[in-house]
Amino acid sequence: MQAWRVHRNGEPSEVMLLEEADRPTPGPGQVLLQVRAANINFPDALLCRGQYQVRPPLPFTPGVEICGETEDGRRVITTPALPYGGLAEYAVADEAALLPAPEALDDAEAAALHIGYQTGWFGLHRRAGLQEGETLLVHAAAGGVGSAAVQLGKAAGARVIGVVGGPDKAAAARALGCDDVVDRRTDDVVAAVKDATGGRGADVIYDPVGGSAYAASAKCVAFEGRIVVVGFASGDIPAPALNHALVKNYSILGLHWGLYNQKDPAAVRHCHDTLTGYAAKGLIKPLVSERVAFGGAAAAVQRVADGTTTGRLVVLPGQKGAAR
């Protein structure tokens, strides 16, 4: 089979190599999957760089989220078991981690559902307790993680303010359903959020960026608001001033979605059933901006690493040509 493999750590475009490799052999409790579509995530770039919390042995194949087909013909979504990731024609996954792919979504959309929307649902509902009528502020609202949170916020009946960088991403955020869009490149984020909320601020803030985005969040969070820390795509991990959280009476909530697979797998399945229902009703639909041919995978991972993409880039192993 063909597989993208990493033999040394570094930037994805430099260390990902397309090679011929043997099909992986599943271990106990695992299954072999033919990869139908692989969604690119920021952790794929971190894996290449050796900066992710999991460091598989070299060489490994990145690709942490796929839509695949089992040997008995089931169409599923899952997170592959590294080092045999999804940027290959075949991957390996734990049988217990397989979830049925929603019929309402095609392969590329299904591949982009699992991590981003599960993270959004757990962050907004289990951690922050988002209520109908509240105001939700989403940083990087046109990105893969942010776009999922926007759709989930609208599905919950929240008013959604999206923060983006640039006019193209602003247009994408509006198309996703944001009630208000703030361009961080031209607007004062804090002033714009306070103006949009009559000075009150946002009840829930969803932050996959960190750095200056978090600093702005702390200045425009409402009384009894909740800041959900999802990741640090900016590369800057903030050190929050806890005295500020105390005197302003807001909560800082961390979310590591992967822990639910270990601590409460039943909750992950319940979330998947909820998301499948949302997809069937048209309430959510992953924003797949590009369907990338297999030969363009390394460049796609690099673009996600560089933060230049809108929505999701999904690699299709069945397409061997250049990216499109």
Side-chain angles (χ1 to χ4, degrees):
M1 70 167 189
Q2 285 193 310
W4 284 93
R5 300 213 292 174
V6 174
H7 294 264
R8 62 181 178 88
N9 294 127
E11 287 302 299
S13 61
E14 299 173 359
V15 301
M16 287 178 61
L17 300 176
L18 184 56
E19 301 177 338
E20 288 292 332
D22 295 331
R23 289 186 187 180
T25 301
Q30 294 184 325
V31 295
L32 180 69
L33 297 171
Q34 183 176 5
V35 180
R36 297 172 66 128
N39 178 47
I40 303 299
N41 286 270
F42 191 67
D44 292 317
L46 296 180
L47 281 166
C48 291
R49 293 167 173 167
Q51 297 174 348
Y52 197 51
Q53 56 257 42
V54 176
R55 297 192 68 174
L58 298 168
F60 68 88
T61 295
V64 298
E65 182 176 29
I66 67 169
C67 175
E69 184 174 337
T70 63
E71 293 182 281
D72 59 4
R74 289 174 290 152
R75 181 172 169 263
V76 299
I77 61 175
T78 193
T79 53
L82 298 173
Y84 304 113
L87 291 176
E89 292 181 293
Y90 289 87
V92 165
D94 295 333
E95 174 74 45
L98 303 184
L99 295 167
E103 294 182 2
L105 304 178
D106 66 21
D107 290 345
E109 293 163 346
L113 177 75
H114 191 41
I115 296 175
Y117 284 83
Q118 286 260 346
T119 299
W121 191 89
F122 275 94
L124 297 180
H125 293 288
R126 285 288 291 259
R127 301 295 285 138
L130 179 67
Q131 300 296 309
E132 182 177 1
E134 287 191 315
T135 296
L136 167 66
L137 172 63
V138 179
H139 288 286
V145 174
S147 61
V150 169
Q151 292 182 354
L152 289 168
K154 294 301 294 181
R159 176 188 181 186
V160 180
I161 302 173
V163 177
V164 299
D168 290 345
K169 294 189 176 185
R174 292 188 186 95
L176 284 164
C178 285
D179 298 282
D180 299 279
V181 176
V182 180
D183 187 340
R184 60 178 173 78
R185 295 181 180 174
T186 57
D187 302 328
D188 181 320
V189 173
V190 175
V193 172
K194 289 188 174 181
D195 182 64
T197 59
R200 185 174 185 279
D203 299 293
V204 175
I205 300 178
Y206 192 79
D207 181 12
V209 179
S212 61
Y214 179 85
S217 298
K219 295 177 181 179
C220 62
V221 62
F223 172 75
E224 292 197 324
R226 293 85 76 197
I227 301 174
V228 185
V229 178
V230 182
F232 312 103
S234 68
D236 183 356
I237 300 176
L242 297 185
N243 62 320
H244 190 262
L246 185 153
V247 299
K248 295 296 184 179
N249 211 60
Y250 62 87
S251 301
I252 304 166
L253 304 169
L255 174 67
H256 179 191
W257 169 74
L259 282 180
Y260 286 95
N261 287 301
Q262 302 173 28
K263 304 291 187 181
D264 194 354
V268 173
R269 182 55 190 255
H270 168 71
C271 176
H272 178 68
D273 292 342
T274 301
L275 296 176
T276 298
Y278 283 175
K281 295 176 182 177
L283 295 173
I284 61 172
K285 188 180 183 69
L287 175 61
V288 178
S289 58
E290 292 185 45
R291 298 163 190 255
V292 180
F294 195 52
V301 176
Q302 187 65 58
R303 289 170 59 201
V304 170
D306 294 340
T308 60
T309 58
T310 297
R312 291 295 192 177
L313 305 188
V314 179
V315 174
L316 304 176
Q319 293 185 5
K320 301 299 184 183
R324 67 176 179 87

